């Protein structure tokens, strides 16, 4: 048996974990559902309640490969065309962007009618694509090259994805002008 670290409910515990194929008749525990898998069946209020909101630390590697870290909280903002904020969620800094996608999409759909959902590569998840398309929208989500080969957009989606810069301007404005750092 190899011992390994197993992450459970944001706490790291030491547990014995067998590697490889299970023996005949051996029953292994069913892995826990991911946050996105759980959110598929939850209501909006349950999705929001499931997100951590305590002060925490987060790290991110930028496009140049440089890691930056912060302590505190992170504000996720969903914007419409014209850089109009439509919905926002405040979570712990350690929460991954993709974990907030389904609640933000639910909030936005309840408030406005839109035809497209634009997201960067952090949201490149099958569950998020399926959820967006189930709402009757076109998912324009940049592919994450870490998941394999980078998939380029066709011309109409590439032109639509240029509107993503408006969302980046909102985030930048929040940090630079309103103390959101």
């Amino acid at each position: 048996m190899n011992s390994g670290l197993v992450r459970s409910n944001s706490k790291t515990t030491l547990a014995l974990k067998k590697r490889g194929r299970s023996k005949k008749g051996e029953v292994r525990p069913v892995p826990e559902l991911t946050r996105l898998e759980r959110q598929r069946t939850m209501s909006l209020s349950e999705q929001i309640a499931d997100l951590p909101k305590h002060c925490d630390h987060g790290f991110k590697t930028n496009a140049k490969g440089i890691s930056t870290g912060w302590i505190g909280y992170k504000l996720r903002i969903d914007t419409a065309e014209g850089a109009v904020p439509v919905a926002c969620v405040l979570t712990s800094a350690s929460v991954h962007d993709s974990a907030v996608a389904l609640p933000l999409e639910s909030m936005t759909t309840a408030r406005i009618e839109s035809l497209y959902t634009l997201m960067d590569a952090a949201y490149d998840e099958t569950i998020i694509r399926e959820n967006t398309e189930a709402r009757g929208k076109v998912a324009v989500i940049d592919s994450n090259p870490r998941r394999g080969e980078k998939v380029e957009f066709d011309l109409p989606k590439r032109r639509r994805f240029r509107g993503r810069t408006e969302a980046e301007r909102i985030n930048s404005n929040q940090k630079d002008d309103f103390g959101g750092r």
Side-chain angles (χ1 to χ4, degrees), residues 51-62:
L51 295 170
K53 294 172 186 64
H54 59 279
C55 183
D56 204 355
H57 65 278
F59 288 93
K60 185 175 185 177
T61 304
N62 67 15

Side-chain angles (χ1 to χ4, degrees), residues 1-29:
M1 264 195 251
N2 289 335
S3 64
L5 293 177
V6 177
R7 187 167 278 261
S8 171
N9 296 336
S10 299
K11 295 180 183 174
T12 306
T13 58
L14 187 61
L16 297 176
K17 186 171 110 176
K18 289 186 178 182
R19 295 178 60 190
R21 189 173 171 177
S22 58
K23 293 181 181 178
K24 186 176 181 180
E26 181 182 7
V27 178
R28 291 204 179 168

Side-chain angles (χ1 to χ4, degrees), residues 1 17 24 29 65 71 89 105 158:
M1 264 195 251
K17 186 171 110 176
K24 186 176 181 180
I71 297 173
V89 176
E105 187 73 26
R158 192 174 333 136

Side-chain angles (χ1 to χ4, degrees), residues 71-160:
I71 297 173
Y73 306 93
K74 198 167 180 186
L75 180 66
R76 276 52 174 238
I77 304 171
D78 195 358
T79 60
E81 282 193 57
V84 177
V86 178
C88 63
V89 176
L90 184 69
T91 64
S92 298
S94 61
V95 176
H96 191 269
D97 292 345
S98 64
V100 187
L102 298 185
L104 277 175
E105 187 73 26
S106 297
M107 293 167 71
T108 300
T109 302
R111 294 175 181 171
I112 64 168
E113 186 175 322
S114 61
L115 302 175
Y116 296 90
T117 295
L118 312 179
M119 296 183 187
D120 62 22
Y123 300 91
D124 186 16
E125 294 280 345
T126 305
I127 293 172
I128 295 171
R129 287 181 193 278
E130 290 171 353
N131 180 60
T132 301
E133 291 166 359
R135 295 175 185 276
K137 298 180 179 184
V138 176
V140 183
I141 303 173
D142 198 14
S143 68
N144 190 335
R146 286 177 286 213
R147 296 190 175 279
E149 194 173 313
K150 173 99 169 131
V151 179
E152 297 296 329
F153 291 130
D154 56 359
L155 186 59
K157 283 189 177 180
R158 192 174 333 136
R159 286 183 178 159
R160 177 61 65 179

